[in-house]
Amino acid sequence: MHLPVSLVWLIPALPLLAAGIAALAPRSCRTLAAGAAIAAMIAAFVISCLALHTALADPGAKLVANFEWFDVGAGAMRLGWLLDPLTAFMCVMVTFVASLIFIFSTGYMKADANFKQFFCFLSLFAAAMLGILVANSLLLLFICWELVGLASYLLIGFWFHKPSAAAAAKKAFITTRIGDLGLLLGLLWLADSTGSLLFYDGGNGVLEVAALGSLASQVTVGGLAVSTAIGLLIFCGAVGKSGQFPLHVWLPDAMEGPTPVSALIHAATMVAAGVFLIARVYPLMSADLALPLVPLHALTVVAFIGAITALLGATIAVAQNDIKRVLAFSTVSQLGYMMLALGVGSWVAAIFHLLTHAFFKALLFLGAGSVIHAAHHEQDIRRLGGLRGRMRITFATFAIGMMALSGVPFLFSGFWSKEAILHAAHGWQVSHLPFGAALVAVVLTAFYMTRLVAETFFGTARTEETEHAHENSAVMTVPLILLAVGAVALGFLGTPAFPWLQARLLGEPEVHGHPLFESAGLMMLSIVLVAVGLGAGWAIYGRRPRVALDAVDPLAKAAPGVIAALGNRLGFDELYAATLGRLVTAGATVADFFDRYVWGGAVTMLARLGEFAGVVNRENDESAINGGFNVVSESFRDSGRAYSRAQSGEPQSYLRFIATGFVVLMLLVILGGGR
Amino acid sequence: MNLLPWTLYVSFAGALLALLAGTRSAAAARRVALGTALAGLAITLLAAREFVPGPELQTLVNVPWITELGVRYHLAVDGISLSLLVLTGLAATAGILFSWNNEERTGEFFAFYLSLIGGVYGVFMSADVFLLFVFYEIAIVPKYFLVAVWGSTNREYGAMKLVLYSFAGSALVLIGLLWAHAAGGATGYGLAELAEGARHIPAGSQIAIFALLFLGFAVLAGLFPFHTWAPTGHVAAPTGASMLLAGVVMKLGAYGCLRVAMPLFPGAFAVCQPVIAWLAIAGIVYAGFIALVQSDFKFVIGYSSVSHMGFVLLGLAAATPLALAGAVLQMVSHGIIAGLLFAVVGRMVYERTHTRELAALQAMPLHRLLPFAAGVFVLAGFASLGLPGFSGFPAELSILTGTWQAKPLWAVCAALGIVVAGAFTLRAIHVAFFGSTGATALLADAGHHDEAHAMAPISWPEKTGALLLLAATLWVGLKPDVLLDWIVPALQSPAFKAVINGGTP
Amino acid sequence: MSPLQLCLLLSSLLFCVGLVAAMARSNAILVLLGVELMLNAANINFIAFWRYGPNPEAGTGVLFVLFSIAVAAAEAAVGLALVIAVYRHQKTIRLASINRLKG
């Protein structure tokens, strides 16, 4: 049974519908909200499997269904759905992991008053994420990208009554939005120079030969090809969402959200969106590789940023004491690996690692959630300990996740995907620095994961709560088991001997395997490095487990300054607060001052000037104009008064006047000569 | 179609009726006002259904008015005016719903309110510039009374500032208008006649006249640095009036620029384009920054209005078809969203808490006391910061895409404003509604227990109004075609073509 | 001295007597009498100018005088009625004390 591409929209639509149901349902309908969310997610999973089946039937094809969103005369804004193996694999992974996380959440969030909203937000988040995956238009991708940001804001800030959670949500939203600004500008540029935002459109899409050729042949500021500039802007968006250096600061803070959210955001979805984005626009990112003379290739930047992030995240993770923060920095580091893989040209390795990472990181986060739930919301590994015996399933699955993440050879998926990345980085012609950084990060990863497991599960329980911790219900353990199976099994889809996944992603019908010994040297090296990391971790933390609560960390004893700096996350937050934060506050204050006193002052001054003119005019009116008027009218009144005196009311006096007048008249006539 | 002039007549008649009804009872006046506004909305919607989009202004009425001066009573609409007419109907209805609790001289309040609406309808329909100017003035006067009589904080100051700015602006417009009339030797004040005459004016004078007209109108649209009337005016005004101020009155200015100043002098406009664009960008970023540090809730919204109107002006300045369409869309979108924000702040929150100080609001567990208000504000805030799904997104996207086509640097600088918008909106949401945290929330609960119970529940007019506006912004956001199908053909007219091509028709 | 001049002299004397009476007497009735005298002086002038004028055949002078006498009679009636009314009101007919219109 095949899924027509025109129905791909069902995958994001179903969780969206569930979100709508949960939003409209009354607060008390907890089962309805959770049930709708889980049912929709499982249905989406089934559809995704159908989509995968369809996509694998012809892996090289890009099935698209485009439509018009709105028409603005000059060029319609067109959106579309896309189905290819990349989309299909990602959809299957996201829906599967999300379903398990949803189920786990019903147990984890059982006691929360806002249970219903939680499932509403989760579904919204999943819908937006799936929207990113099936988008065939950078615009649609951007829309879903923003909605993912919105949903993650709501989820991270879900416990907004904790000030740290509210601040973390805000920080996550604004930091990723800074990256989104780059993505938006890249989108605008792309729309302007190609007239379209569709990825594939029967030859007219931006990822197709015609558009790429013209983009790569144009030159912009600094001698960069236009495609390089656009690629770097789009990469900004990925840097923000995927927590790459230097915008990684939001990601560890986002641990303030409920743990299932951390699992969803940090394992399967939001942070993976950046890697997916770069993989999706890979033809654009790599369009400049054919040009030998450009000063910079977009992918070089990606590789270096990835390498820096991988090393940075792994280093900081060594000194964290919060179980979730260790995992968060490990996520930062792993995402760096993926970016490195993208940068060195092996996007399939990146996606392979993305898929395996999704499973084992979700597993680790849910395992951490299980621990936290059992230990009454205790997250500090120094206060945990000795949980191995009390929570057997959690311990076993967590250990599998830890070994997958550390890259323990052969059995665990993380080994194969990491191997693919190291292999690609080794073969990169431009520089060997990223490869070196990746090797160091391998050691560190194994080391801090060993530390985490040793502190949490070994030794003795160090607090009352931990003492009384016990295994959680099946709702929470079954997802762990399923994820653990995935964390092991998934690796065999892409071993060098039978790279089925890679071949399908690249659209090749045949699978060309290589015997394992061809890359045996590199593999041996990484096995040795993993062993070193594990051994060192065990030597320091495992053999002599922490006994006292406030015992100083052995590493901190050796190098207190370094560990303190790392514990403080190398001061990135402080740096940003001191520079960017202060700059913005200063700018805002200056602008406010301007508005209040300069522009406002100008207006007030004008008003005062008007008032002054008013005063002058009034004076003028009262003394000069009114004065003159008063004098004139006074004289009128006086004369009136004089005349009125003759109006005595006595007829005889009138008669006298008449007579006098008559006589005068007569005299005038006579003296005038009778004429 | 020919129903549309009735919006005018109905509004003015409604104003009289409301005045009469007000002498009997406040409730009667309210009902009259709501009926009038609904009638206006219904008329615009009916007309919209029959509207056939096209590039020309479609005449509704055209009779001589002052024959000696050649002034005609000429009403006509195209897609742009129709979009704004519908917005006016919507904003008027919502504004009345949010003024439902007015008990002080209710009849007069609604009389002023409806005559303001009538004036606005008139401006959007006038095809004779003199007539447009007359309606423009009619819209200004009631504004003063609404703010000065029924306003709050510092109302005389706010009202005076508002009216001085408006009249200063309209004085510039009048001078420009008379100059254009005299210098061009036109026989009347019809748009086409004036444009015809304007072509024979020497280039230097053209620029001067254009500057007068554009500046005069843009003052009302909140062009930086002539924007300071907007925040103070909005803050001082009663809720219904600030919804109208931000919702439609600011649009009058932008509409005047688009309908009168730019088509009459496309050549001069092409010269002034960079100046206008940079002022608009300055307004976007600058007002956004100011909103970031305000301590009065309503000031935050007031400055955000200025910032968003900056996008409209930027769209006008860029003058590509996409940017112009986006600018009109943004006018509608901002009209809806700003109305919603002011409604929450002014009506739902202020009239219950009697404070707008963010610090004071932070101490109250508002998300629990007023969950509906919190929900609406969060949605409106997301709409305001341009998240997809809401009307702001397609509008700002079109403006930015169009601006990029004109000049990428403008788009880059303006896009910075989007990040700032995110920051100040989230700050407002957090501090005002979700500010009380942990221990302080408990304290506030204990301390204000009685107060919490005394807070009146959200009433039906508030709910209706909020849902109406939310539905509108979602609808436009998901399907911008509803409006763009009207707007885009209108931009094909020769007058706008000349604007787009920088003066050469 | 021609008869016309003699007639005019007589009428002038009569007029002056009437005028003095109207101006000087304080009794309202006597003032009315004075006014009548002045009127009759005018009547004499009419007759005299008619009789010794250029066209004695036309009866214009007599006609004027007849009208004048009729009007004077009516005027005297009204005047006396006024005086009686005033007297009833004020209990006096001294003109000096009747200087207000208000009753």
Side-chain angles (χ1 to χ4, degrees):
Chain A
M1 193 176 142
H2 286 288
L3 180 77
V5 64
S6 52
L7 288 181
V8 167
W9 58 269
L10 276 174
I11 299 176
L14 285 171
L16 191 65
L17 184 70
I21 292 173
L24 295 178
R27 181 176 275 262
S28 53
C29 286
R30 297 160 71 100
T31 326
L32 174 69
I38 293 170
M41 217 56 231
I42 291 174
F45 172 65
V46 173
I47 298 176
S48 301
C49 289
L50 279 180
L52 181 63
H53 180 58
T54 313
L56 291 184
D58 180 8
K62 307 279 182 195
L63 304 172
V64 295
N66 298 329
F67 59 93
E68 197 173 273
W69 183 30
F70 62 87
D71 187 1
V72 275
M77 290 283 182
R78 294 176 70 201
L79 308 178
W81 316 113
L82 169 63
L83 182 55
D84 66 355
L86 175 61
T87 296
F89 275 120
M90 290 290 293
C91 279
V92 170
M93 182 275 285
V94 169
T95 49
F96 181 71
V97 175
S99 302
L100 295 181
I101 292 172
F102 280 24
I103 294 169
F104 182 88
S105 303
T106 55
Y108 191 84
M109 299 297 285
K110 200 162 53 187
D112 201 284
N114 294 324
F115 187 82
K116 190 206 81 172
Q117 272 99 319
F118 185 71
F119 277 92
C120 172
F121 295 163
L122 273 186
S123 298
L124 178 65
F125 182 89
M129 183 63 210
L130 291 167
I132 291 182
L133 302 180
V134 300
N136 180 35
S137 144
L138 193 57
L139 179 59
L140 181 58
L141 193 147
F142 181 73
I143 291 173
C144 297
W145 188 268
E146 290 290 293
L147 290 178
V148 163
L150 162 70
S152 76
Y153 165 78
L154 294 171
L155 286 170
I156 295 171
F158 189 72
W159 285 329
F160 55 81
H161 49 81
K162 282 199 299 186
S164 53
K170 212 165 91 176
K171 187 170 173 183
F173 192 82
I174 293 173
T175 314
T176 54
R177 219 172 155 81
I178 292 172
D180 295 353
L181 179 63
L183 177 56
L184 175 65
L185 293 177
L187 184 150
L188 294 177
W189 198 339
L190 195 60
D192 184 43
S193 41
T194 63
S196 171
L197 285 169
L198 289 174
F199 292 140
Y200 299 98
D201 186 19
N204 300 320
V206 293
L207 296 185
E208 288 170 297
V209 184
L212 290 179
S214 82
L215 285 178
S217 60
Q218 294 165 35
V219 174
T220 178
V221 278
L224 290 179
V226 170
S227 73
T228 315
I230 295 177
L232 287 178
L233 283 172
I234 292 177
F235 181 57
C236 285
V239 166
K241 273 279 191 293
S242 287
Q244 298 294 295
F245 171 84
L247 294 181
H248 63 277
V249 286
W250 67 269
L251 211 152
D253 282 12
M255 293 301 130
E256 294 295 342
T259 305
V261 170
S262 309
L264 194 60
I265 289 179
H266 295 99
T269 54
M270 176 157 153
V271 293
V275 177
F276 171 80
L277 171 65
I278 301 300
R280 171 58 79 212
V281 297
Y282 199 75
L284 177 69
M285 301 295 292
S286 55
D288 56 5
L289 289 182
L291 312 169
L293 291 176
V294 290
L296 185 68
H297 293 299
L299 285 177
T300 311
V301 177
V302 176
F304 274 98
I305 293 278
I308 293 172
T309 313
L311 188 56
L312 190 75
T315 321
I316 297 178
V318 170
Q320 296 300 314
N321 287 320
D322 183 316
I323 182 168
K324 282 172 72 182
R325 271 182 206 275
V326 176
L327 293 177
F329 276 106
S330 134
T331 309
V332 171
S333 162
Q334 298 301 311
L335 288 164
Y337 268 110
M338 297 173 209
M339 285 296 175
L340 172 61
L342 289 167
V344 298
S346 177
W347 68 271
V348 285
I351 294 298
F352 184 29
H353 194 56
L354 170 57
L355 294 174
T356 59
H357 174 258
F359 275 84
F360 59 68
K361 192 48 75 60
L363 169 61
L364 286 170
F365 267 114
L366 292 188
S370 176
V371 168
I372 293 167
H373 193 68
H376 300 278
H377 291 271
E378 182 53 67
Q379 306 193 6
D380 191 328
I381 53 173
R382 288 168 301 187
R383 300 169 66 85
L384 294 164
L387 290 173
R388 182 175 41 145
R390 295 191 183 82
M391 304 177 70
R392 285 182 186 284
I393 301 176
T394 304
F395 169 66
T397 51
F398 198 90
I400 292 173
M402 168 256 173
M403 283 188 271
L405 175 57
S406 309
V408 171
F410 306 125
L411 194 56
F412 298 99
S413 60
F415 171 74
W416 298 112
S417 53
K418 195 178 282 184
E419 206 55 38
I421 292 177
L422 288 176
H423 190 77
H426 181 61
W428 200 37
Q429 301 300 321
V430 180
S431 163
H432 278 293
L433 285 179
F435 178 61
L439 289 181
V440 177
V442 169
V443 182
L444 289 171
T445 307
F447 177 75
Y448 68 70
M449 283 315 291
T450 315
R451 169 175 179 257
L452 182 63
V453 170
E455 291 269 42
T456 311
F457 290 98
F458 288 86
T460 51
R462 290 183 284 270
T463 59
E464 195 77 358
E465 283 82 14
T466 320
E467 195 92 42
H468 299 259
H470 54 82
E471 189 57 274
N472 289 302
S473 61
V475 188
M476 290 167 77
T477 49
V478 170
L480 290 179
I481 295 167
L482 286 175
L483 283 172
V485 171
V488 173
L490 213 58
F492 299 108
L493 293 180
T495 56
F498 188 70
W500 176 80
L501 183 76
Q502 283 92 326
R504 287 295 177 267
L505 280 173
L506 286 171
E508 292 163 359
E510 304 286 318
V511 181
H512 298 288
H514 307 280
L516 279 182
F517 57 79
E518 268 189 17
S519 50
L522 191 58
M523 210 177 280
M524 282 315 292
L525 175 64
S526 85
I527 292 174
V528 169
L529 290 175
V530 170
V532 167
L534 288 174
W538 184 251
I540 296 175
Y541 294 99
R543 268 188 319 143
R544 283 192 304 277
R546 177 194 292 273
V547 184
L549 250 184
D550 48 358
V552 183
D553 193 289
L555 274 189
K557 220 180 282 175
V562 177
I563 294 297
L566 287 177
N568 200 23
R569 300 175 244 163
L570 292 176
F572 272 102
D573 292 283
E574 288 75 10
L575 180 72
Y576 289 161
T579 52
L580 263 179
R582 202 167 287 175
L583 198 72
V584 168
T585 317
T589 316
V590 167
D592 186 48
F593 173 83
F594 244 75
D595 223 53
R596 241 173 247 246
Y597 299 106
V598 179
W599 302 125
V603 174
T604 319
M605 186 103 91
L606 269 179
R608 291 269 174 284
L609 237 118
E611 250 172 52
F612 176 70
V615 170
V616 169
N617 285 355
R618 194 181 61 194
E619 282 309 311
N620 185 34
D621 258 17
E622 283 182 357
S623 54
I625 299 183
N626 270 359
F629 183 77
N630 284 353
V631 167
V632 171
S633 41
E634 202 64 38
S635 67
F636 270 111
R637 205 161 57 187
D638 287 350
S639 56
R641 199 170 293 137
Y643 287 121
S644 81
R645 231 166 270 141
Q647 208 78 14
S648 62
E650 288 165 18
Q652 284 172 321
S653 70
Y654 301 162
L655 212 50
R656 246 171 263 143
F657 280 115
I658 295 173
T660 321
F662 179 69
V663 170
V664 170
L665 216 62
M666 290 317 290
L667 281 175
L668 275 176
V669 170
I670 294 163
L671 295 178
R675 277 174 292 140
Chain B
M1 239 8 250
N2 281 322
L3 274 176
L4 271 175
W6 282 96
T7 51
L8 261 180
Y9 315 143
V10 164
S11 298
F12 286 122
L16 275 180
L17 272 179
L19 196 59
L20 286 178
T23 58
R24 192 160 303 161
S25 77
R30 279 197 281 268
R31 276 197 289 274
V32 167
L34 184 61
T36 311
L38 278 176
L41 180 60
I43 291 171
T44 56
L45 289 178
L46 274 180
R49 229 180 43 163
E50 292 169 24
F51 181 73
V52 185
E56 293 305 321
L57 277 169
Q58 302 175 17
T59 297
L60 306 166
V61 186
N62 188 3
V63 290
W65 181 29
I66 310 175
T67 33
E68 291 79 7
L69 299 176
V71 177
R72 301 181 69 82
Y73 182 70
H74 185 183
L75 300 181
V77 291
D78 62 2
I80 296 173
S81 12
L82 187 66
S83 317
L84 293 168
L85 287 171
V86 174
L87 166 72
T88 310
L90 200 64
T93 311
I96 287 171
L97 285 171
F98 282 106
S99 310
W100 205 251
N101 62 338
N102 183 312
E103 293 290 352
E104 185 198 353
R105 297 158 75 186
T106 312
E108 291 159 62
F109 177 82
F110 285 117
F112 280 125
Y113 190 97
L114 289 173
S115 37
L116 171 55
I117 293 293
V120 173
Y121 277 130
V123 171
F124 289 147
M125 277 191 287
S126 304
D128 185 289
V129 185
F130 201 90
L131 185 66
L132 185 142
F133 184 76
V134 170
F135 280 122
Y136 193 75
E137 295 293 295
I138 290 179
I140 291 176
V141 178
K143 221 164 57 175
Y144 172 77
F145 289 104
L146 284 174
V147 178
V149 179
W150 289 273
S152 53
T153 329
N154 220 349
R155 60 188 181 196
E156 282 86 6
Y157 175 72
M160 206 23 102
K161 205 166 172 182
L162 177 69
V163 162
L164 282 182
Y165 264 106
S166 313
F167 277 126
S170 44
L172 295 184
V173 170
L174 186 61
I175 298 170
L177 179 57
L178 295 179
W179 191 353
H181 181 70
T187 48
Y189 287 90
L191 274 170
E193 289 165 294
L194 280 179
E196 180 57 39
R199 258 188 259 158
H200 310 301
I201 303 175
S205 316
Q206 278 205 21
I207 292 178
I209 304 173
F210 171 75
L212 283 173
L213 285 174
F214 194 93
L215 201 63
F217 281 121
V219 164
L220 212 53
L223 177 70
F224 175 86
F226 306 104
H227 63 279
T228 55
W229 68 269
T232 14
H234 288 145
V235 170
T239 305
S242 42
M243 287 174 70
L244 276 195
L245 270 186
V248 292
V249 174
M250 287 182 97
K251 312 299 171 296
L252 293 184
Y255 180 78
C257 294
L258 178 63
R259 174 70 77 203
V260 181
M262 288 162 55
L264 289 193
F265 300 99
F269 167 68
V271 177
C272 299
Q273 235 171 334
V275 182
I276 302 169
W278 282 114
L279 286 180
I281 292 165
I284 294 171
V285 179
Y286 171 88
F289 270 129
I290 299 180
L292 207 50
V293 292
Q294 290 306 307
S295 59
D296 184 311
F297 200 1
K298 229 174 174 181
F299 264 111
V300 177
I301 313 297
Y303 277 109
S304 86
S305 265
V306 176
S307 182
H308 285 124
M309 284 306 290
F311 276 101
V312 174
L313 290 168
L314 179 65
L316 296 184
T320 55
L322 204 56
L324 287 179
V328 180
L329 200 58
Q330 170 81 344
M331 285 194 221
V332 178
S333 155
H334 175 253
I336 301 169
I337 296 169
L340 202 52
L341 290 171
F342 276 116
V344 175
V345 177
R347 172 72 184 90
M348 294 190 190
V349 174
Y350 178 68
E351 303 214 345
R352 291 186 174 78
T353 62
H354 303 289
T355 179
R356 284 194 313 254
E357 282 303 310
L358 283 173
L361 291 173
Q362 192 168 16
M364 300 178 197
L366 276 189
H367 58 91
R368 222 165 325 138
L369 299 179
L370 299 170
F372 185 81
V376 171
F377 191 81
V378 169
L379 287 179
F382 287 148
S384 163
L385 56 83
L387 276 186
F390 299 102
S391 53
F393 180 75
E396 283 175 15
L397 181 77
S398 311
I399 292 176
L400 286 175
T401 317
T403 309
W404 187 288
Q405 291 165 356
K407 200 153 173 97
L409 185 61
W410 295 349
V412 172
C413 294
L416 275 180
I418 293 183
V419 177
V420 183
F424 71 70
T425 312
L426 290 190
R427 171 177 172 266
I429 292 177
H430 270 280
V431 176
F433 288 99
F434 302 98
S436 65
T437 48
T440 49
L442 289 177
L443 275 181
D445 260 2
H448 300 278
H449 203 63
D450 302 327
E451 211 173 287
H453 280 275
M455 222 171 257
I458 304 286
S459 61
W460 70 264
E462 291 169 67
K463 280 189 183 163
T464 320
L467 293 179
L468 186 69
L469 291 178
L470 273 179
T473 176
L474 272 173
W475 193 26
V476 176
L478 293 174
K479 194 137 181 45
D481 261 350
V482 203
L483 296 180
L484 286 171
D485 280 350
W486 301 339
I487 297 169
V488 172
L491 293 173
Q492 301 294 319
S493 77
F496 286 121
K497 275 221 172 105
V499 171
I500 290 162
N501 298 332
T504 47
Chain C
M1 209 184 259
S2 70
L4 180 59
Q5 282 167 328
L6 283 174
C7 284
L8 288 181
L9 198 63
L10 173 69
S11 79
S12 305
L13 281 175
L14 198 58
F15 186 84
C16 288
V17 171
L19 186 61
V20 170
M23 288 198 313
R25 299 308 298 243
S26 62
N27 191 317
I29 292 177
L30 293 179
V31 172
L32 268 182
L33 274 179
V35 172
E36 285 306 306
L37 283 184
M38 287 193 282
L39 252 169
N40 282 320
N43 285 349
I44 290 174
N45 273 13
F46 273 125
I47 296 291
F49 282 118
W50 164 67
R51 179 65 183 78
Y52 301 109
N55 192 10
E57 288 80 32
T60 46
V62 182
L63 266 174
F64 259 111
V65 171
L66 276 175
F67 268 112
S68 174
I69 289 171
V71 171
E75 179 233 303
V78 173
L80 283 173
L82 271 173
V83 170
I84 290 166
V86 167
Y87 177 75
R88 281 200 185 137
H89 225 81
Q90 308 264 350
K91 298 296 174 209
T92 177
I93 48 172
R94 281 179 56 83
L95 267 183
S97 55
I98 316 172
N99 55 2
R100 289 176 305 157
L101 279 174
K102 227 163 74 180

